Amino acid sequence: MEKYFNLKENNTDVKTEIIAGITTFMTMAYILIVNPSILSAAGMDSGAVFTATALSAVIATLIMGLYAKLPFAQAPGMGLNAFFAFTIVKTMGYSYQFALTAVLLEGIIFIFLTLFNVREAIVDSIPENIKKGISVGIGLLIALIGLEGAGIVTHPDGGGTIVALGNIISGPGLLAIIGILVTSILLSKNVKGALFIGMLATALIGIPMGITEMPTKLFSMPPSIKSSFFTFEWHNIFSFDMVIVLFTLLFMDMFDTIGTLVGVATKAKMLDKDGKVPNIKKALFADAIGTTLGACIGTSTVSTFVESASGVAEGGRTGLTAVSTAVMFFLALFLSPIFSVITPAVTASALVLVGLFMIEPIKEIELNDYTEAIPAFLTIIMMPFSYSISDGIVFGIISYIVLKVCSGKYKDISITTIIIGIIFILKFLI
């Protein structure tokens, strides 16, 4: 493992990488429960989706770890699964087979875009200060996800337009507060694996509080994927609706994945001297292949998870972290009762404090040049406010182009950045 993953060169070791991988898994294990719940609304069998979710995460994350050798985990993405179920199926009226066909086509297109370096060129064209802003924005977003999941932050209107403080004197909110404090103390004492230990401690504390429960059994066989395996529908693939669906899936997945890769790599100081993510082409292949195979076995688009930041915060720096996460997803197929104790109240402590770690690059943003500072700032604030990594990048890139042109600094803008800006505008117009 030392030779294959270059552990010493990356200032890490096997123990650190494995703990980092398990930490990443624990913060994103909710997808094993949430994804089947969402896709079942589209008429899919929730048991089959559970198995497909775990398998697609195993495959894509193994490719990321063994091929790209990066510490990022992948699974069917949130937002993308909601678009699958509630827009394509519920609103547009198509079958889930049509939606799976769209996901398959998306994955194939991504494979070709990656093969011809189109996605890599997009990553490289993101200005340096916006890359740092992406890391900060992801930090705020991931902290918000943790607070909302635990009920510390709520939306009383039900539509997300009003934000209020939830119940923090009892229930999940109180447990999450306790978990944040316990983990903070561990971090302040420089305890190795503080995030992982903090989540375990929070889960145990939650038992006498009646919030988490010890599982009644340990093992269970994974449900069959027969009902969703290779269930494609081809007769509508040349419709205008398919074009709209494909464009939306491509846009959402491309910039969510790119944003996550750039943001987490920036925080981990993994960018090379030219500001590029190492092995980015191989990393992009991982989600393209994961999406393609995921569609074949019956799940929505696979993307890189922002929760990968939790593993990086624990010291994960190589593909061994991703491999460890993939192993945990495989075990989850057979040990799902155990992982039922990993509730949002348990993971909140890790997510909130990872948010702190992720904002570190804000110190390096050029704040004296407003053509650099304003786009970075818009990138930062729009990610949590719009609940979207890709929308944060949109605001950052478009404002960057406008400010540079209007201030006479148009030579700072690359052709690729201009093309991306035009695509962003088209996205909103369409």
Side-chain angles (χ1 to χ4, degrees), residues 34 89 176 190 242 251 300 307 376 378 394:
V34 174
V89 177
N190 297 315
M242 177 59 85
F251 182 90
S300 52
E307 284 83 358
L378 290 175
V394 167

Side-chain angles (χ1 to χ4, degrees), residues 7 38 60 69 103 166 169 233 256 324 340 352 395 430:
L7 300 180
I38 290 176
K69 299 182 181 180
V103 174
I169 60 174
E233 179 183 296
D256 276 359
S324 301
S340 64
V352 169
F395 275 84
I430 292 176

Side-chain angles (χ1 to χ4, degrees), residues 69-407:
K69 299 182 181 180
L70 291 172
F72 307 125
Q74 301 200 316
M78 291 296 294
L80 292 158
N81 52 11
F83 180 76
F84 180 109
F86 301 118
T87 300
I88 302 176
V89 177
K90 290 288 189 179
T91 302
M92 300 176 72
Y94 287 105
S95 65
Y96 74 78
Q97 291 89 344
F98 173 90
L100 285 174
T101 307
V103 174
L104 175 70
L105 295 175
E106 175 204 0
I108 293 172
I109 291 172
F110 268 158
I111 289 174
F112 281 100
L113 290 177
T114 306
L115 184 64
F116 292 104
N117 299 323
V118 175
R119 298 174 78 193
E120 186 177 0
I122 292 173
V123 175
D124 293 342
S125 70
I126 298 175
E128 190 67 26
N129 281 290
I130 291 182
K131 286 181 178 178
K132 294 168 183 173
I134 289 172
S135 176
V136 180
I138 287 176
L140 298 180
L141 174 60
I142 200 170
L144 177 61
I145 291 171
L147 293 172
E148 286 183 337
I152 296 174
V153 171
T154 62
H155 300 280
D157 62 341
T161 56
I162 299 176
V163 179
L165 183 66
N167 181 9
I168 59 171
I169 60 174
S170 64
L174 176 60
L175 177 61
I177 293 290
I178 293 172
I180 292 170
L181 291 174
V182 169
T183 308
S184 299
I185 293 170
L186 293 172
L187 286 169
S188 65
K189 290 182 173 294
N190 297 315
V191 175
K192 193 73 171 177
L195 296 179
F196 177 63
I197 296 171
M199 282 189 287
L200 289 179
T202 304
L204 292 174
I205 293 170
I207 294 174
M209 294 176 65
I211 300 169
T212 57
E213 298 179 358
M214 290 296 292
T216 56
K217 61 178 182 177
L218 298 180
F219 302 99
S220 65
M221 290 302 294
S224 170
I225 59 171
K226 184 178 180 180
S227 65
S228 60
F229 186 73
F230 271 85
T231 53
F232 299 121
E233 179 183 296
W234 302 106
H235 62 271
N236 284 313
I237 63 171
F238 296 111
S239 66
F240 181 71
D241 280 349
M242 177 59 85
V243 174
I244 297 298
V245 166
L246 263 178
F247 181 85
T248 305
L249 285 173
L250 286 166
F251 182 90
M252 291 173 67
D253 186 24
M254 180 179 293
F255 291 100
D256 276 359
T257 292
I258 286 174
T260 301
L261 288 172
V262 169
V264 179
T266 299
K267 168 60 187 75
K269 302 188 184 301
M270 294 173 63
L271 302 182
D272 62 22
K273 57 183 176 60
D274 297 319
K276 297 181 180 181
V277 180
N279 294 334
I280 184 64
K281 184 173 183 177
K282 294 180 178 180
L284 294 171
F285 263 125
D287 89 298
I289 295 172
T291 293
T292 305
L293 294 179
C296 293
I297 60 179
T299 189
S300 52
T301 302
V302 172
S303 64
T304 304
F305 261 58
V306 69
E307 284 83 358
S308 301
S310 61
V312 169
E314 282 285 25
R317 291 296 182 272
T318 76
L320 183 55
T321 292
V323 171
S324 301
T325 303
V327 170
M328 293 298 293
F329 269 109
F330 178 76
L331 292 176
L333 281 167
F334 306 94
L335 302 173
S336 57
I338 295 177
F339 299 116
S340 64
V341 302
I342 307 173
T343 65
V346 172
T347 60
S349 60
L351 295 178
V352 169
L353 292 168
V354 165
L356 166 65
F357 304 149
M358 291 294 292
I359 69 172
E360 183 183 3
I362 199 171
K363 299 183 297 184
E364 302 169 11
I365 294 176
E366 179 54 66
L367 297 177
N368 295 322
D369 182 348
Y370 288 122
T371 65
E372 296 284 343
I374 293 173
F377 177 67
L378 290 175
T379 300
I380 292 168
I381 63 172
M382 288 309 299
M383 285 188 185
F385 289 165
S386 67
Y387 221 79
S388 168
I389 294 172
S390 58
D391 284 347
I393 297 174
V394 167
F395 275 84
I397 292 293
I398 292 179
S399 62
Y400 179 85
I401 294 172
V402 171
L403 288 172
K404 288 293 185 181
V405 170
C406 293
S407 62

Side-chain angles (χ1 to χ4, degrees), residues 30-71:
Y30 67 86
I31 197 63
L32 293 171
I33 300 170
V34 174
N35 200 48
S37 174
I38 290 176
L39 296 193
S40 64
M44 299 186 71
D45 177 70
S46 60
V49 175
F50 169 83
T51 302
T53 300
L55 287 176
S56 62
V58 170
I59 294 168
T61 307
L62 276 178
I63 295 172
M64 180 70 78
L66 296 175
Y67 181 56
K69 299 182 181 180
L70 291 172

